[in-house]
Amino acid sequence: MPCVLWVARNSSAYLSDLVHPMAKLEASSTRLFASAWRPIANMIRVFMLLMTVGAVLGTYIIQGNTAPTLTRVNTGPKPCQTIPQWEGRASEWNHITESNNRYIISFDGVGLRKRVLKEAKSFMPGERQYNYIMEFKTNTLYTINLNLNTCTVTNLTQPWQNHTIPTDATLEDEYELGAPGSGFRVREWSDRLPARRAESWIGIFTIAGCWPIVEIFTDDDPQNPVSFTTRFFDLTPGIANMSVFDPPEICKSQTVHPEPEFEPEPEFEPELEFDPPITNQNFNVTIDDDKDSGPVNSYFKKGWNYLKSWF
Ligand SMILES: *[C@@H]1O[C@H](CO)[C@@H](O)[C@H](O)[C@H]1NC(C)=O
Ligand SMILES: *[C@@H]1O[C@H](CO)[C@@H](O)[C@H](O)[C@H]1NC(C)=O
Ligand SMILES: *[C@@H]1O[C@H](CO)[C@@H](O)[C@H](O)[C@H]1NC(C)=O
Ligand SMILES: *[C@@H]1O[C@H](CO)[C@@H](O)[C@H](O)[C@H]1NC(C)=O
C-alpha cells in the first residue's frame, strides 16, 4: 500500500501540470485505489473519463465542422478597391493570337472613360500607332489612327468594368515580390469559388494602395477561347491631363455607326485581318481604311465580370 501511494505521488509530481490534464485524473485515481472506496472510485473514474472524452470530442466537432467555415467567410482580408482614376503602362499578352501589345492607359472610373494609347513597336515597319478613347456613358469608341490622322467612331460592345478586385473574389495567397528585404507585399485574388468553380481570372494587387501588378484571364471555351496576361507598371494616381479623353477634331464629323464605314479607293480591296480567327463566332471586328494597318480594333462580344482585355 505505501508503495502504491508513493507511485501515485511520484507520477502526479511528474505529469500533473507538465504533460496532460488526463495525467492528473490518473494520478488522483491511483491514490483512490489505495483507499477503501475502490468501487465508488472506479465509478467516479469512469464517469470523469467519459465527461473528459465527451468534452474533447465536442470541442473537436465544433471546431472541425463549424468554426473554420465561419472563420473563412467572416474574417480575413476583403478585396481592396483600386483608386478610381489612375494612369500607367501595361503589357498585354494575348496567348490565343500569340501577340503582345504595350499600352499607355488613362483610366477614369468617375467619368467611365478609358484612353488606351497603343505603343508602336519600332522594329515593325509600317505598324500604325493607335489611340483608343472609350466613352462608356455614350457607348462610343473612337479609334484614332495617329499615322494617318483618321478617326473611326463605333459603338462599344463591352459593358463598363471598374478596374479593381471584384467584391466576391477569393483570396488565394499573400506574399512578397521583389528582392529579399526590399520587396513589397501583394495579395493574389481569383474568381475561384471553393469546391464549385475553378479560377479563370487571377489578379495580383499590392496590399499598399491596391495597385494592379498582374492580371491573368483565361477561358477555354472552344467557341470563344481567351487567354490574356497583363502586367502593369509605371502607375500614377489621378489623371494628369483630362484632355486625353477629348476626341480630337477629326472625330467630330463622324457619327456613331454600328458597321464600320470606309471610303475605299476605286481599286482598293480592303484586307481584313482577324485577330483571333474569323471562325470565332463571338468575335467582332472593326476595320480601318488603310490596307497596311492590320486590325484596328477588335473585341469579344461575350461579357465577363472580370477584367481581361484592355479594349
Ligand atoms: C463601379 O462602377 C459602377 C458603374 O458601373 C459605379 O456605380 C460604382 O460606384 C463603381 N464602383 C467603384 C468601387 O468604383
Ligand atoms: C493635354 O492633352 C491634350 C490632348 O492629348 C494635348 O493636346 C495637350 O497638349 C495636353 N496638355 C498638356 C499640358 O500636356
Ligand atoms: C449604337 O449606339 C447608339 C447610341 O448609344 C444606339 O442608339 C444604337 O442603337 C447603337 N447601335 C448598335 C448597333 O448597337
Ligand atoms: C458585329 O457588330 C455589328 C454592329 O456592331 C453587328 O451588326 C454584327 O452583327 C456583329 N457581328 C458579329 C459576328 O457579332
Side-chain angles (χ1 to χ4, degrees):
M1 281 305 179
C3 182
V4 172
L5 279 171
W6 182 84
V7 169
R9 277 205 199 95
N10 222 20
S11 57
S12 176
Y14 274 108
L15 299 173
S16 61
D17 298 313
L18 293 176
V19 183
H20 200 276
M22 283 298 285
K24 221 169 197 171
L25 187 68
E26 284 293 327
S28 56
S29 301
T30 314
R31 242 178 257 122
L32 285 169
F33 277 126
S35 73
W37 302 88
R38 189 170 180 150
I40 296 170
N42 267 344
M43 281 172 66
I44 291 171
R45 186 189 186 192
V46 167
F47 178 73
M48 287 177 77
L49 266 174
L50 285 176
M51 291 286 285
T52 310
V53 169
V56 168
L57 271 181
T59 312
Y60 246 105
I61 288 163
I62 289 166
Q63 285 183 342
N65 287 351
T66 318
T69 312
L70 290 173
T71 304
R72 194 176 296 154
V73 172
N74 291 334
T75 67
K78 298 269 183 298
C80 56
Q81 294 289 297
T82 306
I83 190 174
Q85 291 180 322
W86 55 271
E87 296 182 303
R89 297 170 61 211
S91 167
E92 184 184 81
W93 263 102
N94 185 336
H95 301 284
I96 301 293
T97 61
E98 298 179 348
S99 58
N100 176 250
N101 283 310
R102 283 167 186 273
Y103 304 122
I104 296 170
I105 295 164
S106 298
F107 186 85
D108 180 9
V110 176
L112 307 191
R113 295 177 295 185
K114 283 192 251 179
R115 183 268 201 150
V116 176
L117 185 63
K118 187 175 157 192
E119 291 183 1
K121 292 192 177 81
S122 55
F123 54 85
M124 285 181 71
E127 200 206 0
R128 309 299 178 186
Q129 199 180 12
Y130 288 96
N131 184 20
Y132 303 94
I133 298 172
M134 288 163 259
E135 283 178 2
F136 287 82
K137 282 181 177 170
T138 61
N139 190 37
T140 306
L141 167 66
Y142 300 93
T143 304
I144 300 127
N145 182 324
L146 296 174
N147 300 83
L148 298 175
N149 204 31
T150 57
C151 179
T152 308
V153 187
T154 51
N155 280 1
L156 287 165
T157 59
Q158 284 193 1
W160 169 256
Q161 290 178 348
N162 294 318
H163 193 99
T164 190
I165 306 166
T167 50
D168 62 347
T170 298
L171 179 64
E172 295 289 352
D173 209 343
E174 178 183 323
Y175 45 81
E176 184 172 287
L177 278 184
S182 62
F184 56 95
R185 293 196 75 76
V186 298
R187 289 203 178 109
E188 193 172 303
W189 301 86
S190 82
D191 62 344
R192 183 173 64 89
L193 291 177
R196 279 198 282 158
R197 184 178 72 197
E199 64 271 39
S200 64
W201 171 84
I202 284 176
I204 302 170
F205 288 74
T206 61
I207 292 179
C210 203
W211 291 94
I213 305 288
V214 174
E215 276 189 302
I216 300 160
F217 186 87
T218 182
D219 186 347
D220 60 2
D221 178 354
Q223 297 298 317
N224 190 10
V226 187
S227 185
F228 290 107
T229 301
T230 311
R231 293 174 292 118
F232 298 90
F233 35 90
D234 294 343
L235 305 180
T236 53
I239 309 287
N241 179 2
M242 277 292 179
S243 302
V244 296
F245 297 111
D246 297 339
E249 282 299 322
I250 47 163
C251 298
K252 297 283 165 63
S253 56
Q254 304 271 341
T255 52
V256 178
H257 44 75
E259 303 277 0
E261 283 176 13
F262 52 93
E263 309 269 340
E265 315 280 356
E267 73 280 11
F268 174 59
E269 196 67 39
E271 277 178 30
L272 300 187
E273 282 185 40
F274 292 92
D275 174 23
I278 192 169
T279 50
N280 192 327
Q281 59 182 262
N282 288 322
F283 188 70
N284 215 339
V285 173
T286 304
I287 54 171
D288 196 18
D289 57 354
D290 176 68
K291 65 175 171 184
D292 296 326
S293 68
V296 173
N297 180 40
S298 55
Y299 33 71
F300 292 100
K301 301 285 278 186
K302 188 174 170 183
W304 288 279
N305 291 326
Y306 292 81
L307 227 107
K308 53 287 167 211
S309 173
W310 267 92
F311 64 91

Coordinates of all heavy atoms in Angstrom, one line a residue, residues 81-86 105-116 132-140 155-164 166 239 245 300-311:
Q81 N -10.0 48.1 -53.0 CA -10.5 48.9 -54.1 C -9.4 49.7 -54.7 O -8.8 50.6 -54.0 CB -11.7 49.8 -53.7 CG -12.9 49.0 -53.3 CD -13.6 48.3 -54.4 OE1 -14.1 48.9 -55.4 NE2 -13.6 46.9 -54.4
T82 N -9.1 49.5 -56.0 CA -8.1 50.4 -56.6 C -8.7 51.8 -56.8 O -9.9 52.0 -57.0 CB -7.8 49.8 -58.0 OG1 -7.4 48.5 -57.9 CG2 -6.7 50.6 -58.7
I83 N -7.8 52.8 -56.7 CA -8.2 54.2 -56.8 C -9.0 54.3 -58.1 O -8.6 53.7 -59.1 CB -7.0 55.1 -56.7 CG1 -7.3 56.5 -56.7 CG2 -6.1 54.8 -58.0 CD1 -6.0 57.4 -56.5
P84 N -10.1 55.1 -58.2 CA -10.9 55.2 -59.4 C -10.2 55.8 -60.6 O -10.6 55.5 -61.7 CB -12.1 55.9 -59.0 CG -11.9 56.6 -57.7 CD -10.7 55.8 -57.1
Q85 N -9.3 56.7 -60.4 CA -8.6 57.4 -61.5 C -7.1 57.2 -61.4 O -6.5 57.5 -60.4 CB -8.9 58.9 -61.5 CG -10.4 59.2 -61.8 CD -10.7 60.7 -61.8 OE1 -10.1 61.4 -61.0 NE2 -11.5 61.2 -62.7
W86 N -6.6 56.6 -62.5 CA -5.1 56.4 -62.5 C -4.6 56.3 -63.9 O -5.4 56.1 -64.9 CB -4.7 55.2 -61.7 CG -5.4 53.9 -62.1 CD1 -6.6 53.4 -61.6 CD2 -5.0 52.9 -63.1 NE1 -6.9 52.2 -62.3 CE2 -6.0 51.9 -63.1 CE3 -3.9 52.8 -63.9 CZ2 -5.8 50.8 -64.0 CZ3 -3.7 51.7 -64.8 CH2 -4.7 50.7 -64.8
I105 N -2.1 53.8 -70.5 CA -3.5 53.8 -70.1 C -3.9 55.0 -69.2 O -3.1 55.3 -68.3 CB -3.8 52.5 -69.3 CG1 -3.6 51.3 -70.3 CG2 -5.2 52.5 -68.7 CD1 -3.5 50.0 -69.5
S106 N -5.0 55.6 -69.5 CA -5.6 56.5 -68.6 C -7.0 56.0 -68.2 O -7.8 55.7 -69.1 CB -5.8 57.9 -69.2 OG -4.5 58.4 -69.5
F107 N -7.2 55.7 -67.0 CA -8.4 55.1 -66.5 C -9.2 56.0 -65.6 O -8.8 56.4 -64.6 CB -8.1 53.8 -65.7 CG -9.2 53.0 -65.4 CD1 -9.7 52.0 -66.2 CD2 -9.9 53.1 -64.1 CE1 -10.8 51.2 -65.9 CE2 -10.9 52.4 -63.8 CZ -11.4 51.4 -64.7
D108 N -10.4 56.4 -66.1 CA -11.3 57.3 -65.4 C -12.5 56.6 -64.9 O -13.6 56.5 -65.6 CB -11.7 58.5 -66.3 CG -12.6 59.5 -65.7 OD1 -12.8 59.4 -64.4 OD2 -13.1 60.4 -66.4
G109 N -12.5 56.0 -63.7 CA -13.6 55.3 -63.1 C -14.7 56.3 -62.7 O -15.8 55.8 -62.3
V110 N -14.5 57.6 -62.7 CA -15.5 58.5 -62.3 C -16.4 58.9 -63.5 O -17.6 58.8 -63.5 CB -14.9 59.8 -61.6 CG1 -15.9 60.8 -61.3 CG2 -14.1 59.4 -60.4
G111 N -15.7 59.3 -64.6 CA -16.4 59.6 -65.8 C -16.7 58.4 -66.7 O -17.3 58.6 -67.8
L112 N -16.3 57.2 -66.2 CA -16.5 56.0 -67.0 C -15.9 56.1 -68.4 O -16.5 55.9 -69.4 CB -18.0 55.6 -67.1 CG -18.7 55.5 -65.8 CD1 -20.1 54.8 -66.0 CD2 -18.0 54.7 -64.7
R113 N -14.6 56.5 -68.4 CA -13.9 56.6 -69.7 C -12.5 55.9 -69.6 O -11.9 55.8 -68.5 CB -13.6 58.1 -70.0 CG -14.9 58.9 -70.2 CD -14.5 60.3 -70.5 NE -14.0 61.0 -69.3 CZ -13.7 62.3 -69.2 NH1 -13.9 63.1 -70.2 NH2 -13.2 62.8 -68.1
K114 N -12.1 55.4 -70.7 CA -10.7 54.8 -70.8 C -10.1 55.4 -72.0 O -10.7 55.6 -73.1 CB -10.8 53.3 -70.9 CG -11.1 52.5 -69.7 CD -10.9 51.1 -69.9 CE -12.2 50.3 -69.9 NZ -12.0 48.8 -70.1
R115 N -8.8 55.6 -71.9 CA -8.0 56.0 -73.0 C -6.8 55.1 -73.1 O -6.0 55.0 -72.1 CB -7.5 57.5 -72.9 CG -6.8 58.0 -74.0 CD -5.3 57.8 -73.9 NE -4.6 58.8 -74.7 CZ -3.4 59.2 -74.5 NH1 -2.8 58.9 -73.3 NH2 -2.8 60.1 -75.3
V116 N -6.6 54.4 -74.2 CA -5.6 53.5 -74.4 C -4.8 53.9 -75.6 O -5.3 53.9 -76.7 CB -6.1 52.0 -74.5 CG1 -5.0 51.1 -74.8 CG2 -6.9 51.6 -73.3
Y132 N -7.1 54.9 -78.6 CA -8.5 54.5 -78.4 C -9.0 55.3 -77.2 O -8.5 55.3 -76.2 CB -8.6 53.0 -78.0 CG -7.9 52.1 -79.1 CD1 -6.6 51.7 -78.9 CD2 -8.6 51.7 -80.2 CE1 -6.0 50.8 -79.8 CE2 -8.1 50.8 -81.1 CZ -6.7 50.4 -80.9 OH -6.2 49.6 -81.8
I133 N -10.2 56.0 -77.5 CA -10.9 56.7 -76.5 C -12.2 56.0 -76.3 O -13.0 55.9 -77.2 CB -11.1 58.2 -76.8 CG1 -9.7 58.8 -76.9 CG2 -11.9 58.9 -75.7 CD1 -9.7 60.3 -77.4
M134 N -12.5 55.5 -75.1 CA -13.7 54.7 -74.8 C -14.6 55.5 -73.9 O -14.2 55.8 -72.7 CB -13.4 53.4 -74.2 CG -12.8 52.4 -75.3 SD -11.9 51.0 -74.5 CE -10.2 51.6 -74.6
E135 N -15.8 55.9 -74.4 CA -16.7 56.6 -73.5 C -17.9 55.7 -73.2 O -18.7 55.4 -74.1 CB -17.3 57.9 -74.3 CG -16.4 59.1 -74.3 CD -17.0 60.2 -75.1 OE1 -18.2 60.1 -75.6 OE2 -16.3 61.2 -75.3
F136 N -17.9 55.2 -72.0 CA -19.0 54.2 -71.7 C -20.3 54.9 -71.4 O -21.3 54.2 -71.5 CB -18.5 53.3 -70.5 CG -17.4 52.4 -70.9 CD1 -16.1 52.8 -71.0 CD2 -17.7 51.1 -71.3 CE1 -15.1 51.9 -71.4 CE2 -16.8 50.2 -71.7 CZ -15.4 50.6 -71.7
K137 N -20.3 56.2 -71.1 CA -21.6 56.9 -70.9 C -22.3 57.0 -72.2 O -23.6 57.1 -72.2 CB -21.4 58.2 -70.2 CG -21.1 58.1 -68.7 CD -20.9 59.4 -68.0 CE -20.8 59.3 -66.5 NZ -20.3 60.5 -65.9
T138 N -21.6 57.2 -73.3 CA -22.2 57.4 -74.6 C -22.1 56.1 -75.4 O -22.5 56.1 -76.6 CB -21.6 58.6 -75.3 OG1 -20.2 58.3 -75.5 CG2 -21.8 59.9 -74.5
N139 N -21.4 55.1 -74.8 CA -21.3 53.8 -75.6 C -20.5 54.0 -76.9 O -20.8 53.4 -77.9 CB -22.6 53.2 -75.8 CG -22.5 51.8 -76.3 OD1 -21.6 51.0 -75.9 ND2 -23.4 51.4 -77.3
T140 N -19.5 54.9 -76.8 CA -18.8 55.3 -78.0 C -17.3 54.9 -77.9 O -16.6 55.2 -76.9 CB -18.9 56.8 -78.3 OG1 -20.3 57.1 -78.3 CG2 -18.3 57.1 -79.7
N155 N -19.7 51.9 -81.9 CA -20.3 51.6 -80.6 C -19.4 50.7 -79.8 O -18.7 49.8 -80.4 CB -21.7 50.9 -80.7 CG -22.8 51.9 -81.0 OD1 -22.5 53.1 -81.1 ND2 -24.0 51.4 -81.1
L156 N -19.3 50.9 -78.5 CA -18.6 49.9 -77.7 C -19.5 48.6 -77.6 O -20.7 48.7 -77.6 CB -18.4 50.5 -76.3 CG -17.4 51.6 -76.1 CD1 -17.6 52.3 -74.8 CD2 -16.0 51.0 -76.2
T157 N -18.8 47.5 -77.4 CA -19.6 46.3 -77.3 C -19.4 45.6 -75.9 O -19.9 44.6 -75.6 CB -19.3 45.3 -78.4 OG1 -17.9 45.0 -78.3 CG2 -19.6 45.8 -79.7
Q158 N -18.5 46.2 -75.1 CA -18.3 45.7 -73.8 C -18.9 46.6 -72.7 O -18.8 47.8 -72.9 CB -16.8 45.5 -73.5 CG -16.1 44.4 -74.2 CD -14.8 44.1 -73.6 OE1 -14.3 44.8 -72.7 NE2 -14.1 43.1 -74.2
P159 N -19.5 46.1 -71.7 CA -20.0 46.9 -70.6 C -18.9 47.5 -69.8 O -17.7 47.0 -69.9 CB -20.8 45.9 -69.8 CG -20.2 44.6 -70.0 CD -19.7 44.6 -71.4
W160 N -19.2 48.6 -69.1 CA -18.2 49.2 -68.2 C -17.7 48.2 -67.2 O -18.5 47.5 -66.6 CB -18.8 50.5 -67.6 CG -17.9 51.0 -66.5 CD1 -18.1 50.9 -65.1 CD2 -16.6 51.7 -66.7 NE1 -17.0 51.4 -64.5 CE2 -16.2 52.0 -65.4 CE3 -15.9 52.1 -67.8 CZ2 -15.0 52.6 -65.2 CZ3 -14.7 52.8 -67.6 CH2 -14.3 53.0 -66.3
Q161 N -16.4 48.2 -66.9 CA -15.9 47.5 -65.8 C -15.0 48.4 -65.0 O -14.0 48.9 -65.5 CB -15.1 46.3 -66.3 CG -16.0 45.2 -66.9 CD -15.2 44.0 -67.4 OE1 -14.0 44.1 -67.5 NE2 -15.8 43.0 -67.7
N162 N -15.3 48.5 -63.7 CA -14.3 49.1 -62.8 C -13.0 48.3 -62.8 O -13.1 47.1 -62.7 CB -14.8 49.2 -61.4 CG -16.1 50.1 -61.3 OD1 -16.1 51.1 -61.9 ND2 -17.0 49.6 -60.5
H163 N -11.9 49.0 -62.8 CA -10.7 48.2 -62.7 C -10.3 48.1 -61.2 O -9.6 48.9 -60.6 CB -9.5 48.9 -63.4 CG -8.4 48.0 -63.6 ND1 -8.2 47.3 -64.7 CD2 -7.5 47.6 -62.7 CE1 -7.1 46.5 -64.6 NE2 -6.7 46.6 -63.4
T164 N -10.8 47.0 -60.6 CA -10.5 46.7 -59.2 C -10.7 45.3 -59.0 O -11.0 44.5 -59.9 CB -11.3 47.6 -58.3 OG1 -10.8 47.5 -57.0 CG2 -12.8 47.3 -58.4
P166 N -13.0 42.3 -57.9 CA -14.4 42.1 -57.6 C -14.7 41.8 -56.2 O -13.8 41.1 -55.5 CB -14.8 41.0 -58.5 CG -13.7 41.0 -59.6 CD -12.5 41.5 -59.0
I239 N -5.4 61.7 -63.0 CA -5.3 61.9 -64.4 C -4.6 63.2 -64.6 O -5.1 64.3 -64.2 CB -6.7 62.0 -65.1 CG1 -7.5 60.7 -64.8 CG2 -6.5 62.1 -66.7 CD1 -7.1 59.4 -65.4
F245 N -9.1 62.5 -72.8 CA -10.3 61.9 -73.1 C -11.2 62.6 -74.1 O -12.2 62.1 -74.5 CB -11.2 61.7 -71.8 CG -10.5 60.8 -70.7 CD1 -10.0 61.4 -69.5 CD2 -10.4 59.5 -70.9 CE1 -9.4 60.6 -68.6 CE2 -9.8 58.7 -70.0 CZ -9.3 59.2 -68.8
F300 N -14.2 41.0 -77.9 CA -15.1 39.9 -77.8 C -16.5 40.5 -77.4 O -16.6 41.4 -76.6 CB -14.6 38.9 -76.7 CG -13.4 38.2 -77.2 CD1 -12.1 38.6 -76.7 CD2 -13.5 37.2 -78.1 CE1 -11.0 37.9 -77.1 CE2 -12.4 36.5 -78.5 CZ -11.1 36.9 -78.0
K301 N -17.5 39.8 -77.9 CA -18.8 40.2 -77.5 C -19.2 39.7 -76.1 O -20.0 40.3 -75.5 CB -19.8 39.6 -78.6 CG -19.6 40.0 -80.0 CD -20.1 41.4 -80.3 CE -21.6 41.4 -80.5 NZ -22.0 42.8 -80.9
K302 N -18.6 38.6 -75.8 CA -19.0 38.0 -74.5 C -18.6 38.9 -73.3 O -17.6 39.5 -73.3 CB -18.4 36.6 -74.4 CG -18.8 35.8 -73.2 CD -18.1 34.4 -73.3 CE -18.4 33.6 -72.1 NZ -17.7 32.3 -72.1
G303 N -19.5 39.0 -72.4 CA -19.2 39.8 -71.2 C -18.8 39.0 -70.0 O -19.4 38.0 -69.7
W304 N -17.7 39.4 -69.4 CA -17.3 38.7 -68.1 C -17.4 39.7 -67.0 O -17.4 40.9 -67.2 CB -15.9 38.2 -68.3 CG -15.7 37.1 -69.1 CD1 -16.0 35.8 -68.9 CD2 -15.2 37.1 -70.5 NE1 -15.7 35.0 -69.9 CE2 -15.2 35.8 -70.9 CE3 -14.8 38.1 -71.4 CZ2 -14.8 35.4 -72.2 CZ3 -14.4 37.7 -72.6 CH2 -14.4 36.4 -73.0
N305 N -17.4 39.2 -65.8 CA -17.4 40.1 -64.7 C -16.0 40.6 -64.3 O -15.8 41.5 -63.5 CB -18.0 39.4 -63.4 CG -19.4 39.1 -63.6 OD1 -20.1 40.0 -64.2 ND2 -19.9 38.0 -63.1
Y306 N -15.0 39.9 -64.9 CA -13.6 40.2 -64.6 C -12.9 40.9 -65.7 O -13.2 40.6 -66.9 CB -12.9 38.9 -64.2 CG -13.5 38.4 -62.9 CD1 -14.6 37.7 -62.8 CD2 -12.8 38.7 -61.7 CE1 -15.1 37.2 -61.6 CE2 -13.3 38.3 -60.5 CZ -14.5 37.5 -60.5 OH -15.0 37.1 -59.3
L307 N -12.0 41.8 -65.4 CA -11.3 42.5 -66.4 C -10.4 41.6 -67.2 O -9.7 40.7 -66.6 CB -10.5 43.6 -65.8 CG -10.7 44.9 -66.5 CD1 -11.5 45.8 -65.7 CD2 -9.4 45.5 -66.9
K308 N -10.3 41.7 -68.5 CA -9.3 40.9 -69.2 C -8.6 41.8 -70.3 O -7.5 42.2 -70.1 CB -9.9 39.7 -69.8 CG -11.2 39.8 -70.6 CD -12.4 40.1 -69.8 CE -13.5 40.6 -70.7 NZ -14.3 41.5 -70.0
S309 N -9.2 42.0 -71.4 CA -8.6 42.7 -72.5 C -8.8 44.2 -72.2 O -9.7 44.6 -71.6 CB -9.2 42.4 -73.8 OG -8.6 43.2 -74.8
W310 N -7.8 45.0 -72.8 CA -7.9 46.4 -72.5 C -8.8 47.2 -73.5 O -9.1 48.3 -73.3 CB -6.5 47.1 -72.4 CG -6.2 47.1 -71.0 CD1 -5.5 46.1 -70.3 CD2 -6.7 48.0 -70.0 NE1 -5.5 46.4 -68.9 CE2 -6.2 47.5 -68.7 CE3 -7.4 49.2 -70.0 CZ2 -6.5 48.2 -67.6 CZ3 -7.7 49.8 -68.9 CH2 -7.2 49.4 -67.6
F311 N -9.2 46.5 -74.5 CA -10.2 47.2 -75.4 C -10.7 46.1 -76.3 O -10.3 44.9 -76.3 CB -9.6 48.3 -76.3 CG -8.5 47.8 -77.2 CD1 -8.8 47.5 -78.5 CD2 -7.2 47.7 -76.8 CE1 -7.8 47.0 -79.4 CE2 -6.2 47.3 -77.7 CZ -6.5 46.9 -79.0

